[in-house]
Amino acid sequence: MTLTAATPAFAESLRPHLPARAFRDPEPRYLEEPRGRWAGQAGVIVAPETTAQVAAVIRAAAEARVPVVPYGGGTGLVGGQVMPDGPAPVLLSLERMAAIRAVYPRENLLIAEAGAILSDVHDAATAEQRVFPLSIASKGSARIGGTLATNAGGVNVLRYGNARDLCLGIEAVLPDGRIWNGLSRLRKDNTGYDLRDLLIGSEGTLGVITAATLKLFAQPAAEGTALMVVDSPAAALDLLALARDHLGEGISAFELMHRTGLQFLAETLPDIRQPFATPPEWFVLIDLGLARGLDPAEALERLFGAGLEAGLVSDGLIAQSQAQRTAFWEVREQIPEANRRIGSVSSHDISVPLGAIPDFIARATARITGLGEFRVNCFGHLGDGNLHFNVFPAPGRSKATYAGQRGAVQQAVHDLVHELQGSISAEHGIGRLKVSDLERYGDPVKLELMRSLKSLFDPAGIMNPGAVLRQIQASF
Amino acid sequence: MTLTAATPAFAESLRPHLPARAFRDPEPRYLEEPRGRWAGQAGVIVAPETTAQVAAVIRAAAEARVPVVPYGGGTGLVGGQVMPDGPAPVLLSLERMAAIRAVYPRENLLIAEAGAILSDVHDAATAEQRVFPLSIASKGSARIGGTLATNAGGVNVLRYGNARDLCLGIEAVLPDGRIWNGLSRLRKDNTGYDLRDLLIGSEGTLGVITAATLKLFAQPAAEGTALMVVDSPAAALDLLALARDHLGEGISAFELMHRTGLQFLAETLPDIRQPFATPPEWFVLIDLGLARGLDPAEALERLFGAGLEAGLVSDGLIAQSQAQRTAFWEVREQIPEANRRIGSVSSHDISVPLGAIPDFIARATARITGLGEFRVNCFGHLGDGNLHFNVFPAPGRSKATYAGQRGAVQQAVHDLVHELQGSISAEHGIGRLKVSDLERYGDPVKLELMRSLKSLFDPAGIMNPGAVLRQIQASF
């Protein structure tokens, strides 16, 4: 039995279960994605207000074999939130389930509905002198359900882990409409299989997360930031090891940047203050969050001194004020915007084993150079082995002139990542963008298991069809 | 089709795949478990030396429908490693796959085979000035495969997480003999469903873990330990929050103990030095691992001062030497041995939300007191919400006289745990001991999903039958 489109008749079948305001107009925002690669479609758009209403929608969709596309903030970069072809789905927006249900400061956790916006979760934590550390560029519009569905990363993974690590439990609606209440507030619970981590990162293909218990942390007593010039990516790795010897888990972020990033900022965002008089080839941003009794600026000076002695760093800037910290971070945070303005031929969100990073950067750059005239801007979360290796037109040339080369660029990068036992999607997920890549590079046994799990959870194949796994025609 | 026993003929069928030395004699150690509740059985005992040999054994078992019991260090406390009834299984010991395959200090990880003994992993980390923080009482005999299969906890979960949190990837043999190579060295990899976390904690019922990538950490620059007397469990929780405000993730352990623990030590292990002249009702052990620039004794003094000011602590001892640290830890670490010597009526490895701990302790103690004359020794990993709430005979009475009450004691404790949204197995797992408890207290939707997953991975039901889930007769 094949899937069928969400028709007006299907919408009618939902009316007994949903208030009238839950039916949404087809505003363009629901059908766009940030990179503009796909146009989505939707036969019906609903925004339920309760978990029971979500379950009613899914049950109806399962009965009618209507595809369901769960929709959070719409900020995903791999097309997991748009279904461009096939029968028009019911788009299930979580935007009206945006409550922070409860905050437990003593337990260092809160319970948020899937539609809660990431920055609202930050604010709820701050109000109790706590931190929810997951932070990504789209935090003002990304919603918790989506960050969990894609196991989002960001700049604090080094210290606090990714979305999966920050979640104690979830409530979810399964593809047959059953509600699983796994909203645990427990730090330790060894009673059976880990279903939470199976749904987290499954990009809406195994069910819809409707709420989550999220871990909070004590606010660091003091924070500090430095930019340090390193000789090479290898020196940056050694500096990271040195920093860990000095400061253990006090390192909140360790980000690598290249001169090209500074050049792109100068070209496209000239108001951003350039930190160095002479832009260095490679430099790192180090962010600390320390316990009471330690002065971050002193700790960074000691680290810089040790790095200088070890021949790892040659220059450095230590923020002397919160304004300077913000300025240093702005350099890092505006690089993606500068990239967007330059316009990439191909972007790659990859990870490799930490020790393979220098080799990866050297060989990937050589392979790209061998393909033609390009500019490479490589930057990212060095401490996580996660680089954004982005390829741009040579100066004066337009992106359009490279249209025929994008595939070759991407394959050159991904083949090398695979050789080095890396991942072709470190933090963005598979979505619809990387389905073929997963098939090409993924472990065959893992892929077989994933397909089996998909069939087990969602035999009719209604949940986000075509995301993560190529759509298999359901027949039974 | 039902399961069949591992006969000599089955052993013969394995001979082409295994060296002669892989066939083991039925030494008693393979068929015992630490609490002596069950006697195991085994038709054949094999100790393969390679993953391919493990796969050959599982393939043969799957074909012949012979049950497989994976066997690590045999230290599990819930009977997951012994199959006392049904057709005699092939016992698959990982003891000859005990290699540390590789250590990557720069990447803060190592790859260990499943049979590697936990303390050998500690040593391999120490040799590279790193820490592998998972530590449990049985570390000298527990093997990595078993600690992952049971998602083991221990005293450092507060800071570093449990076994699942410390594992980047696994290699496993599935119930049909396929090998899944998921030995990732990546910190971030969002390419598909999380199969790793599904196998971790599944207690050998979904496959056999044969190797794992384990996270290492920088050694703290300085460590310190204190015992602090608190007014109540509630004050202990507030002290924990205060300690986090002061020291963030610098707190490695935060353990609650009761006067009864000191009394049991005095009665059964009089050589252990009693830390307090007058034993306090409640006290905590706080262990710190700090960054450079901080003195642990000073930090503990500051914390004690703040606790005193807040009315949370009334007395305290701060270790002034490594010998004193060891002595403080010995108090905590010998309590389980003292318990063993006293002989419990019933032991409970439970967790509740942190905020519910004071309520749990008060109400559980009242319920037990209501059932008869008992002594309660409640202690454990306060920071994780994980308590060992153990119930003992009144002084002068023997365990045997309580035989008829054990069930009522256990149910009183577990019912309360369930009311408070806690877990009846915080860190030991389900094994065979708690299968009925899981059925009684587990979320029904989760249980249905678990049974579906078991059928998907292991349709013949050969993998550790009767552990975690009641054995379902396979028929197809």
Side-chain angles (χ1 to χ4, degrees):
Chain A
M1 195 166 171
T2 55
L3 297 174
T4 60
T7 58
F10 176 74
E12 279 312 306
S13 77
L14 297 178
R15 290 208 179 267
H17 308 291
L18 296 176
R21 61 182 176 272
F23 294 84
R24 314 294 289 178
D25 292 330
E27 295 168 36
R29 66 182 173 103
Y30 291 119
L31 307 174
E32 297 166 349
E33 50 83 27
R35 290 189 169 158
R37 298 209 180 162
W38 294 278
Q41 46 160 0
V44 176
I45 301 177
V46 291
E49 296 173 351
T50 65
T51 305
Q53 289 175 11
V54 173
V57 173
I58 305 270
R59 250 195 324 273
E63 267 169 41
R65 314 272 166 181
V66 164
V68 179
V69 174
Y71 192 86
T75 62
L77 294 172
V78 289
Q81 70 276 50
V82 289
M83 187 173 159
D85 44 37
V90 52
L91 191 145
L92 177 67
S93 170
L94 279 300
E95 70 202 274
R96 294 178 75 90
M97 290 182 67
I100 310 287
R101 287 192 192 162
V103 186
Y104 301 85
R106 200 184 211 184
E107 301 179 12
N108 271 340
L109 57 88
L110 62 75
I111 297 180
E113 290 187 335
I117 286 178
L118 180 52
S119 58
D120 290 341
V121 174
H122 291 163
D123 293 346
T126 306
E128 298 288 350
Q129 289 81 53
R130 297 289 187 279
V131 179
F132 179 64
L134 179 70
S135 188
I136 52 182
S138 56
K139 62 192 174 198
S141 41
R143 295 175 191 273
I144 285 298
T147 62
L148 287 168
T150 60
N151 187 29
V155 290
N156 292 322
V157 174
L158 181 67
R159 180 173 191 151
Y160 296 103
N162 51 22
R164 182 177 281 127
D165 299 310
L166 296 171
C167 178
L168 285 176
I170 57 171
E171 175 191 86
V173 178
L174 301 174
D176 57 7
R178 277 179 299 172
I179 297 169
W180 170 47
N181 183 350
L183 274 184
S184 168
R185 281 153 57 203
L186 304 175
R187 301 274 161 175
K188 283 164 94 172
D189 179 15
N190 276 348
T191 54
Y193 306 159
D194 186 351
L195 304 177
R196 173 195 64 189
D197 287 349
L198 193 56
L199 280 158
I200 293 175
S202 69
E203 304 185 39
T205 63
L206 301 180
V208 181
I209 295 169
T210 50
T213 315
L214 302 175
K215 290 186 196 172
L216 305 180
F217 295 83
Q219 289 175 333
E223 295 175 295
T225 307
L227 298 175
M228 294 191 194
V229 176
V230 290
D231 280 358
S232 62
L237 278 180
D238 289 338
L239 182 64
L240 172 62
L242 191 64
R244 281 191 162 132
D245 281 346
H246 278 235
L247 297 160
E249 297 101 81
I251 308 154
S252 303
F254 198 97
E255 300 282 309
L256 180 72
M257 285 170 275
H258 186 262
R259 185 194 291 142
T260 304
L262 295 175
Q263 283 163 353
F264 284 9
L265 284 173
E267 283 178 40
T268 64
L269 296 164
D271 289 347
I272 304 279
R273 203 195 140 123
Q274 292 277 327
F276 300 102
T278 310
E281 186 177 6
W282 292 106
F283 63 107
V284 294
L285 179 150
I286 307 175
D287 198 69
L288 303 183
L290 298 179
R292 287 199 199 179
L294 279 179
D295 181 75
E298 280 172 26
L300 287 163
E301 268 164 43
R302 268 200 303 274
L303 175 63
F304 180 76
L308 204 61
E309 203 170 306
L312 303 174
V313 298
S314 58
D315 195 5
L317 300 164
I318 295 171
Q320 302 299 329
S321 64
Q322 186 57 38
Q324 265 193 316
R325 281 192 72 210
T326 307
F328 290 179
W329 267 110
E330 200 175 21
V331 171
R332 168 64 185 85
E333 288 181 335
Q334 291 298 329
I335 285 178
E337 176 60 20
N339 286 344
R340 209 187 55 77
R341 292 185 184 201
I342 298 281
S344 75
V345 176
S346 182
S347 298
H348 309 92
D349 162 45
I350 64 93
S351 65
V352 291
L354 254 70
I357 283 178
D359 196 26
F360 169 77
I361 293 178
R363 289 167 66 189
T365 307
R367 287 194 190 184
I368 296 306
T369 312
L371 290 175
E373 262 196 284
F374 295 95
R375 288 192 290 180
V376 168
N377 189 14
C378 172
F379 66 104
H381 318 302
L382 187 79
D384 309 320
N386 176 196
L387 298 174
H388 300 296
F389 188 91
N390 296 355
V391 180
F392 297 85
R397 289 184 60 185
S398 86
K399 194 171 148 176
T401 65
Y402 291 89
Q405 286 183 278
R406 180 191 270 188
V409 166
Q410 192 175 300
Q411 191 171 336
V413 175
H414 285 177
D415 281 356
L416 179 61
V417 166
H418 186 63
E419 279 172 46
L420 296 172
Q421 301 180 277
S423 167
I424 50 100
S425 183
E427 59 177 9
H428 295 165
I430 298 298
R432 288 172 176 82
L433 182 65
K434 296 187 177 176
V435 171
S436 304
D437 288 306
L438 180 59
E439 289 171 349
R440 183 185 186 98
Y441 300 112
D443 178 76
V445 173
K446 178 175 174 175
L447 277 164
E448 283 168 35
L449 280 174
M450 284 174 59
R451 290 190 191 105
S452 302
L453 285 165
K454 172 70 173 170
S455 298
L456 177 73
F457 275 74
D458 184 19
I462 62 166
M463 291 306 305
N464 212 1
V468 186
L469 295 168
R470 195 172 297 280
Q471 194 178 347
I472 308 155
Q473 203 69 294
S475 59
F476 51 98
Chain B
M1 194 167 171
T2 54
L3 297 175
T4 60
T7 57
F10 177 72
E12 279 312 306
S13 77
L14 298 177
R15 292 210 177 265
H17 308 293
L18 297 176
R21 60 182 175 271
F23 293 86
R24 314 294 290 179
D25 293 331
E27 296 168 36
R29 67 181 173 103
Y30 290 118
L31 307 174
E32 296 166 349
E33 50 83 28
R35 290 190 169 160
R37 298 210 180 162
W38 295 279
Q41 45 159 0
V44 177
I45 301 176
V46 291
E49 295 173 351
T50 64
T51 305
Q53 289 175 12
V54 173
V57 172
I58 305 269
R59 251 195 322 273
E63 267 170 39
R65 315 274 167 177
V66 164
V68 180
V69 174
Y71 192 87
T75 62
L77 294 172
V78 289
Q81 71 276 49
V82 289
M83 188 174 157
D85 43 38
V90 51
L91 190 146
L92 177 68
S93 169
L94 278 300
E95 71 202 274
R96 295 179 74 90
M97 291 183 65
I100 309 288
R101 287 191 191 162
V103 187
Y104 300 85
R106 200 186 211 182
E107 300 179 12
N108 271 340
L109 57 88
L110 61 75
I111 297 180
E113 291 186 335
I117 287 178
L118 180 51
S119 59
D120 291 341
V121 173
H122 291 163
D123 293 346
T126 307
E128 298 289 349
Q129 288 81 53
R130 297 289 188 280
V131 178
F132 179 64
L134 179 70
S135 189
I136 52 180
S138 57
K139 63 192 173 196
S141 42
R143 295 175 189 273
I144 285 299
T147 62
L148 288 168
T150 59
N151 188 30
V155 290
N156 292 322
V157 173
L158 181 67
R159 179 173 189 151
Y160 297 103
N162 51 22
R164 182 178 281 125
D165 299 311
L166 297 171
C167 178
L168 285 176
I170 58 171
E171 174 190 88
V173 178
L174 301 172
D176 57 6
R178 277 180 299 173
I179 297 168
W180 171 46
N181 184 349
L183 276 183
S184 168
R185 280 154 56 204
L186 304 175
R187 301 273 161 175
K188 283 164 93 172
D189 179 14
N190 275 349
T191 54
Y193 306 158
D194 187 350
L195 305 176
R196 175 193 61 189
D197 288 349
L198 194 56
L199 281 158
I200 293 175
S202 69
E203 304 186 37
T205 63
L206 300 179
V208 181
I209 294 170
T210 50
T213 315
L214 302 174
K215 289 187 196 171
L216 306 180
F217 295 82
Q219 291 175 332
E223 296 174 294
T225 306
L227 298 176
M228 295 191 193
V229 176
V230 291
D231 279 356
S232 62
L237 278 179
D238 288 339
L239 182 63
L240 172 62
L242 191 65
R244 281 192 164 128
D245 279 347
H246 278 234
L247 297 160
E249 297 102 80
I251 307 154
S252 303
F254 198 96
E255 299 283 308
L256 180 72
M257 286 170 275
H258 186 262
R259 185 193 291 142
T260 305
L262 295 175
Q263 283 162 352
F264 283 8
L265 285 173
E267 281 177 42
T268 64
L269 297 164
D271 289 348
I272 304 278
R273 204 196 138 122
Q274 291 278 328
F276 300 101
T278 309
E281 185 177 7
W282 292 106
F283 63 107
V284 294
L285 180 150
I286 307 174
D287 198 70
L288 303 183
L290 299 179
R292 288 199 199 179
L294 277 180
D295 180 76
E298 279 172 26
L300 287 164
E301 269 163 42
R302 270 200 304 274
L303 175 61
F304 180 76
L308 204 61
E309 202 170 306
L312 302 173
V313 298
S314 57
D315 194 5
L317 299 165
I318 295 170
Q320 301 299 329
S321 65
Q322 186 56 40
Q324 264 193 315
R325 281 191 73 211
T326 307
F328 290 179
W329 267 109
E330 202 175 19
V331 171
R332 169 63 185 84
E333 287 181 336
Q334 291 299 329
I335 286 179
E337 175 60 20
N339 286 345
R340 209 186 55 75
R341 293 186 184 200
I342 298 280
S344 75
V345 175
S346 182
S347 297
H348 310 92
D349 161 46
I350 64 93
S351 65
V352 291
L354 254 71
I357 283 178
D359 197 25
F360 168 77
I361 293 178
R363 289 169 66 191
T365 307
R367 286 194 192 184
I368 296 306
T369 311
L371 289 175
E373 261 197 283
F374 294 95
R375 288 192 289 180
V376 168
N377 189 14
C378 172
F379 66 103
H381 317 302
L382 186 80
D384 309 319
N386 176 194
L387 298 175
H388 300 297
F389 187 90
N390 297 354
V391 180
F392 297 86
R397 288 185 60 186
S398 86
K399 195 171 146 175
T401 65
Y402 291 90
Q405 286 183 280
R406 181 192 270 188
V409 166
Q410 191 176 300
Q411 192 173 335
V413 175
H414 285 177
D415 280 357
L416 179 61
V417 165
H418 186 62
E419 280 173 45
L420 296 171
Q421 299 180 279
S423 167
I424 50 99
S425 184
E427 60 177 8
H428 295 164
I430 297 298
R432 289 173 174 83
L433 182 66
K434 297 186 176 176
V435 171
S436 304
D437 288 306
L438 179 60
E439 289 171 349
R440 182 185 186 97
Y441 300 111
D443 179 77
V445 173
K446 178 176 175 176
L447 277 163
E448 284 169 33
L449 280 174
M450 284 176 59
R451 291 190 189 105
S452 301
L453 285 165
K454 172 69 175 173
S455 298
L456 177 73
F457 274 74
D458 183 20
I462 61 166
M463 291 307 304
N464 211 3
V468 185
L469 294 169
R470 196 172 296 280
Q471 194 177 347
I472 308 156
Q473 203 70 292
S475 59
F476 53 99

